[in-house]
Amino acid sequence: MTSAPLAARLTRVAGPLFFPVTAYGPDGDVDLDAFRAHVRAGVDAGAAAVFACCGTGEFHALTPEEFRRVVAAAVEETAGEVPVVAGAGYGTAPAIQYARIAEEAGADGLLAMPPYLVVADQAGLLGHYTALAAATSLETIVYQRDNAVFTPETVVALAGTPGIIGLKDGHGDLDLMQRTVSAVRTGRPGTDFLYFNGLPTAELTGPAYRGIGVTLYSSAVFAFAPDIALAFYRALESGDDALAGELLDHFYRPLVELRAKGRGYAVALVKAGVRLGGLDVGPVRTPLTEPTAAHVEELTAITARGRAVLERYGSEHLGQGRDEQPEPGPGTRG
């Protein structure tokens, strides 16, 4: 953990937010060496932050002790170069337990995922996230999706809750998001509340979210094709609509269509992609299942087409390492 506030560090991002997979060895246990290598490669490639043990990292499949070990490994490997945000979820009591473990392991912040199974009303959701934010000193980002979808009024209340710094949207209702951004802007004037596009393969909807001022986004693609993810990120930032459009047409849209062919592919395809890149991070844990051989071949072809686009546009788009990145620009608030 560093002394700089997480919100300030995230508003100075100069690259995608990295959601590493959790590596497992042949014995089924977490493979910390492979995980460290995965995190190091992402940081060196230009990740702006590491979100460990979140959705792509199979938070749902980790025991509290495994969670502790993986978060601590991410913190040690990054060594303060970029912030580390850890997942926290389930009901209020276990979510608080995971949050405290993350704090003890040195994380810089929390991604508060939806409560387990139950569908709560707005008052219950607000109570849950308020209690979670109060349980540690970590700054918290609330993840909207599935059974945790908020009215604009609830987000105004979340934005005024000490410790809660932002909303990650995995629901995808742009009308709701526009009304939410407007409600917070008028209901909490001067509040530096952050918004993140958290849809699976968020790049596909990146241009649409930017239209309502949401420029921060999670990138599952960065976990297995950081060169493509970085090129797309810079194309959006620089207004290179031609390159962004080519990558959307020839890589991101086909990837999303492939993802729709299997349950759990938002995680399993990413993990397969990391293995295709040469790092053995093991399979997904049940109840998720591995992609079929045909779908892995399709992923290989889609990735190759994405890189072919980069080749056509020249080496300047191929993705700079951390040492070569330009200085970050001003913060990107929703």
Side-chain angles (χ1 to χ4, degrees):
M1 182 187 298
T2 68
S3 58
L6 175 64
R9 298 177 76 187
L10 289 175
T11 56
R12 296 192 297 267
V13 298
L17 306 177
F18 175 31
F19 284 66
V21 302
T22 298
Y24 306 123
D27 60 357
D29 193 11
V30 293
D31 184 341
L32 293 182
D33 288 339
F35 176 74
R36 286 175 180 274
H38 183 41
V39 169
R40 173 46 49 193
V43 172
D44 288 347
V50 172
F51 283 67
C53 301
C54 296
T56 307
E58 296 180 82
F59 170 81
H60 69 277
L62 299 173
T63 68
E65 182 53 33
E66 289 174 328
F67 174 85
R68 181 192 304 275
R69 291 161 58 200
V70 174
V71 173
V75 171
E76 291 167 5
E77 193 60 42
T78 58
E81 292 179 61
V82 298
V84 174
V85 179
Y90 305 122
T92 305
I96 287 173
Q97 179 186 17
Y98 278 96
R100 289 174 174 163
I101 292 171
E103 184 174 42
E104 292 166 2
D108 297 284
L110 299 172
L111 178 62
M113 291 181 284
Y116 171 72
L117 193 59
V118 297
V119 178
D121 61 19
Q122 296 293 297
L125 290 170
L126 181 59
H128 170 77
Y129 293 107
T130 298
L132 179 57
T136 73
S137 65
L138 299 180
E139 292 175 288
T140 300
I141 300 162
V142 175
Y143 194 1
Q144 168 170 267
R145 60 175 294 170
D146 300 327
N147 59 328
V149 176
F150 310 107
T151 64
E153 293 75 19
T154 298
V155 180
V156 171
L158 289 171
T161 301
I164 296 180
I165 65 168
L167 177 73
K168 178 184 177 184
D169 180 47
H171 181 54
D173 183 337
L174 286 174
D175 176 87
L176 175 61
M177 277 301 295
Q178 179 64 83
R179 289 186 288 113
T180 296
V181 170
S182 175
V184 173
R185 190 165 54 230
T186 56
R188 300 283 178 186
T191 299
D192 291 331
F193 197 64
L194 306 181
Y195 300 93
F196 305 77
N197 174 358
L199 289 172
T201 317
E203 287 92 341
L204 188 71
T205 53
Y209 272 81
R210 290 180 76 86
I212 58 173
V214 179
T215 57
L216 294 165
Y217 64 89
S218 57
S219 177
V221 168
F222 187 87
F224 70 91
D227 51 343
I228 297 174
L230 280 166
F232 184 80
Y233 174 87
R234 281 197 294 275
L236 285 185
E237 287 291 297
S238 66
D240 189 343
D241 295 337
L243 175 56
E246 288 263 359
L247 288 173
L248 287 172
D249 292 346
H250 300 291
F251 175 77
Y252 285 105
R253 179 175 57 81
L255 179 63
V256 168
E257 291 169 350
L258 175 59
R259 192 189 70 216
K261 294 180 180 180
R263 295 277 189 176
Y265 271 19
V267 177
L269 276 179
V270 173
K271 211 159 194 183
V274 176
R275 293 195 302 269
L276 288 171
L279 181 61
D280 186 0
V281 290
V284 291
R285 281 181 172 174
T286 55
L288 297 181
T289 56
E290 286 296 298
T292 66
H295 289 164
V296 172
E297 289 181 11
E298 193 171 343
L299 176 62
T300 302
I302 290 169
T303 305
R305 290 200 294 273
R307 291 189 168 125
V309 170
L310 299 190
E311 290 177 5
R312 290 200 300 275
Y313 274 78
S315 60
E316 69 271 18
H317 296 289
L318 289 178
Q320 300 165 316
R322 176 156 301 279
D323 293 340
E324 300 171 278
Q325 286 194 46
E327 287 297 313
T332 48
R333 293 176 171 82

